[in-house]
Amino acid sequence: MSFKDDFNLFIGADYGIFKGCKAFHGQSLVKSIQSINHLSKETNVTAMTWGDDKEEDILIGLSNQVVKTYDTKGKAFSFSTDAKVVPKDGAAPSSGSICGLTRFDGALVTATESGHIRVMRYNEDECININAGQNLCKMRHSKTNPNIIGSGGLENELKLWDLNTGKNTFLAKNVPNDQRLQTRVKVWVTDHTFLPNSQKVVVGSRYGYVRLYDPKAQRKPVVNINVPDQAISCIAASNSDDSVLCGLAKGDIVKFDMRNGKASAHYKGFYGAVSAIACHPTEPYIASVSHDRFLRVHHLTTKELVLKEFMVTRMNCVLMRTSFSLDPTIKAEPEQEKRGSKRVASDDLLSDGQSDNEDQLEELFNAMEESTSQVPDEPCKKSRKVDLNTPLKKASSQLVVNPFSNKKTSRPKKANDSVKETIDNDSDDDIMIVSESIGNAPAVPDQEGDESEPDEADGESDEFGDDDEDDEEENDDEEESDDDEEEDSDDDK
């Protein structure tokens, strides 16, 4: 697999998290590239850009002023350097996070929030230090003029710098005072971008305006678009020459046409401030990340949300390859290929050896037939089939009278009559209840000196049956004695 087919999106987030994403139609494959062991609160990814036109290297700027280089072809971090600036004239060193970085003529260009821009080379005498002013928010590199960079920030107007000489070539001028209050309009350049194939620069502000500057024409903005009560958090140039995409802090992306100064499209569905936007130079796709921790890909013309992926962390930067496409180009995995090759190889061996060993196979089958013919035919015993769907019949609870109890209990006179128990609540030894069971119940253990066993079917014992027979014989004898006495009395009379 080529390195360009590996990931088509790269994301930088807080704590130094760096991820690669392979996006398809409606799904994506996300992988964390940076090891978890090297993450900390001081290594937030604050800037990210391509290191060359071939898109083989990615420059990653961290909040601790460290620049790392990721090799997409070798899939490893190849370089790391400290970009902190310490002026020789005794001025204050650079501070804050890296807000922009790029490469120019073999040199590494970095910018920090303190306003220090440094063109780093291997020879320190060739390095150039630029003071772009305090509270710097963003530094961008022009693709049309590779020797030009732009900078801007809080109360820091747009400036253009020449990287060969380190001199300022353009300084933007603020608009006139407010007509209602007659006060100065505040300046806060949060982001800016160079229009493709042009020297024009579009600026987005936290105070809710979008301005187009033409360095060849004048210092004042050529087009000024006011977006009341809306803060511009990021900005990116679209693939058309005269439109830009502005990410809002409320959670929207608005497309502005700089020819007439009007909004031409809205891309919704965000639940947090949009932190970065990447637009494909030729294909109609927009990749964006926001503080709601979602990666989104919109269609530029239809405004359809074609991809939405939760990335767990708060993202700050996003890069899109020029070869980005949502058409799936999934190739077979190495394991599957190996398994398939083994299976094909075994089939080939079988087909090749089958013609050579036909005689051996026939002898083998003939031997199997002879062995099976020698087995006597015996009727198979029918196995009892149990239907698992039919419910099992439960045995009724049985009442067993304890023969060792001294207390009197009432028993049923007939087998068909209902059993009425007249047992004291305090006694525990009068009766024993046999639990419901299926099949043969365990036999009651015999006691010493007792040969009789309880009758489980009738709930009676043999001893009580014998006593009843004795009682009936005694009653018959008493009746006979009474008859004899009556006869004797008649004879006396």
Side-chain angles (χ1 to χ4, degrees):
M1 179 182 293
S2 175
F3 71 96
K4 289 189 177 181
D5 296 333
D6 189 8
F7 296 117
N8 50 19
L9 289 172
F10 293 92
I11 298 99
D14 289 346
Y15 301 98
I17 295 175
F18 180 60
K19 295 183 178 182
C21 177
K22 178 66 175 180
F24 304 105
H25 276 292
Q27 61 181 352
S28 62
L29 301 175
V30 182
K31 180 181 178 181
S32 181
I33 300 174
Q34 178 64 51
S35 176
I36 302 176
N37 299 328
H38 298 84
L39 303 181
S40 66
K41 296 181 179 180
E42 299 178 355
T43 59
N44 297 336
V45 179
T46 56
M48 197 163 60
T49 186
W50 295 109
D52 52 4
D53 296 336
K54 296 181 180 180
E55 299 179 354
E56 294 183 0
D57 296 333
I58 298 177
L59 301 178
I60 304 171
L62 306 179
S63 58
N64 57 355
Q65 299 187 20
V66 173
V67 178
K68 300 169 65 176
T69 304
Y70 177 74
D71 186 4
T72 59
K73 191 173 182 179
K75 298 180 181 180
F77 291 94
S78 59
F79 181 73
S80 178
T81 183
D82 188 0
K84 191 173 183 179
V85 180
V86 180
K88 296 181 180 180
D89 55 357
S94 61
S95 60
S97 304
I98 293 179
C99 58
L101 72 165
T102 185
R103 273 183 181 171
F104 167 71
D105 193 18
L108 178 63
V109 183
T110 61
T112 58
E113 294 179 349
S114 60
H116 292 80
I117 299 176
R118 181 178 177 83
V119 182
M120 300 175 60
R121 298 183 184 274
Y122 290 103
N123 189 359
E124 294 184 359
D125 296 335
E126 297 179 358
C127 296
I128 300 174
N129 295 328
I130 300 172
N131 187 7
Q134 295 290 330
N135 301 322
L136 193 64
C137 292
K138 187 64 68 175
M139 185 270 288
R140 295 280 189 179
H141 193 192
S142 174
K143 294 182 179 180
T144 306
N145 298 323
N147 60 324
I148 298 296
I149 61 171
S151 64
L154 177 60
E155 294 300 333
N156 192 342
E157 280 284 6
L158 174 67
K159 301 182 182 67
L160 299 182
W161 305 89
D162 190 353
L163 294 176
N164 293 321
T165 59
K167 295 181 179 180
N168 179 241
T169 59
F170 175 79
L171 175 60
K173 189 176 181 180
N174 197 3
V175 296
N177 295 339
D178 189 3
Q179 296 180 358
R180 294 181 180 179
L181 303 176
Q182 293 299 321
T183 57
R184 175 181 172 274
V185 178
K186 296 181 180 180
V187 175
W188 191 346
V189 178
T190 54
D191 199 356
H192 61 280
T193 182
F194 291 87
L195 294 180
N197 302 322
S198 175
Q199 296 182 359
K200 298 179 182 179
V201 187
V202 181
V203 171
S205 174
R206 183 77 67 176
Y207 293 129
Y209 61 79
V210 180
R211 296 174 181 175
L212 174 63
Y213 290 94
D214 188 359
K216 292 183 178 181
Q218 57 184 12
R219 293 176 56 191
K220 290 183 179 181
V222 177
V223 179
N224 185 19
I225 305 172
N226 291 321
V227 188
D229 302 329
Q230 298 295 336
I232 309 298
S233 57
C234 59
I235 192 170
S238 66
N239 50 19
S240 60
D241 296 336
D242 299 322
S243 61
V244 292
L245 299 165
C246 298
L248 305 182
K250 74 170 187 177
D252 279 335
I253 295 178
V254 183
K255 182 180 179 182
F256 289 102
D257 190 352
M258 303 309 297
R259 293 173 296 182
N260 52 19
K262 294 182 180 180
S264 58
H266 289 262
Y267 305 87
K268 300 181 179 180
F270 299 88
Y271 298 97
V274 181
S275 54
I277 302 173
C279 186
H280 198 278
T282 57
E283 298 293 332
Y285 293 116
I286 307 168
S288 61
V289 293
S290 62
H291 289 175
D292 60 0
R293 308 188 182 199
F294 275 95
L295 167 68
R296 294 176 175 87
V297 177
H298 287 84
H299 197 276
L300 183 62
T301 55
T302 62
K303 299 180 291 185
E304 179 185 0
L305 181 62
V306 295
L307 177 65
K308 181 180 180 181
E309 185 71 24
F310 183 67
M311 304 299 288
V312 181
T313 56
R314 181 176 173 178
M315 297 165 289
N316 303 322
C317 307
V318 61
L319 286 180
M320 178 185 289
R321 286 192 182 276
T322 55
S323 60
F324 177 85
S325 178
L326 293 179
D327 295 333
T329 57
I330 301 175
K331 297 182 180 180
E333 296 181 357
E335 295 181 358
Q336 295 179 355
E337 292 178 356
K338 290 179 181 178
R339 292 176 183 175
S341 61
K342 289 181 181 179
R343 180 175 55 80
V344 173
S346 61
D347 295 340
D348 295 338
L349 291 174
L350 181 61
S351 62
D352 295 337
Q354 190 173 5
S355 59
D356 298 334
N357 301 327
E358 287 182 355
D359 298 334
Q360 296 179 2
L361 291 174
E362 289 180 0
E363 293 177 0
L364 178 62
F365 284 116
N366 294 331
M368 291 174 63
E369 291 178 357
E370 292 177 359
S371 62
T372 54
S373 62
Q374 294 176 3
V375 178
D377 296 335
E378 294 181 358
C380 298
K381 295 182 180 180
K382 295 183 179 180
S383 61
R384 184 179 179 182
K385 296 182 179 179
V386 179
D387 191 0
L388 299 177
N389 296 326
T390 58
L392 298 174
K393 295 181 179 180
K394 296 183 179 180
S396 60
S397 62
Q398 300 170 355
L399 179 64
V400 179
V401 180
N402 189 356
F404 306 102
S405 176
N406 295 326
K407 296 183 181 182
K408 294 181 179 181
T409 58
S410 61
R411 61 179 180 82
K413 294 180 180 181
K414 295 181 180 181
N416 296 330
D417 295 339
S418 61
V419 179
K420 297 182 180 180
E421 300 176 2
T422 57
I423 304 170
D424 295 337
N425 296 329
D426 297 336
S427 64
D428 295 333
D429 300 327
D430 293 339
I431 60 173
M432 294 183 292
I433 304 297
V434 180
S435 61
E436 296 181 359
S437 61
I438 300 173
N440 297 326
V444 179
D446 297 337
Q447 301 292 335
E448 294 180 358
D450 185 14
E451 297 178 355
S452 62
E453 295 180 357
D455 189 0
E456 296 179 355
D458 297 335
E460 299 175 355
S461 63
D462 294 338
E463 290 184 359
F464 283 94
D466 295 340
D467 293 341
D468 294 340
E469 292 177 359
D470 295 339
D471 293 340
E472 290 178 358
E473 291 177 359
E474 290 177 0
N475 292 332
D476 294 337
D477 295 338
E478 290 177 359
E479 290 178 357
E480 291 176 0
S481 62
D482 292 339
D483 294 337
D484 295 337
E485 289 176 359
E486 289 179 358
E487 292 177 359
D488 293 339
S489 60
D490 293 336
D491 294 338
D492 293 338
K493 291 178 181 181

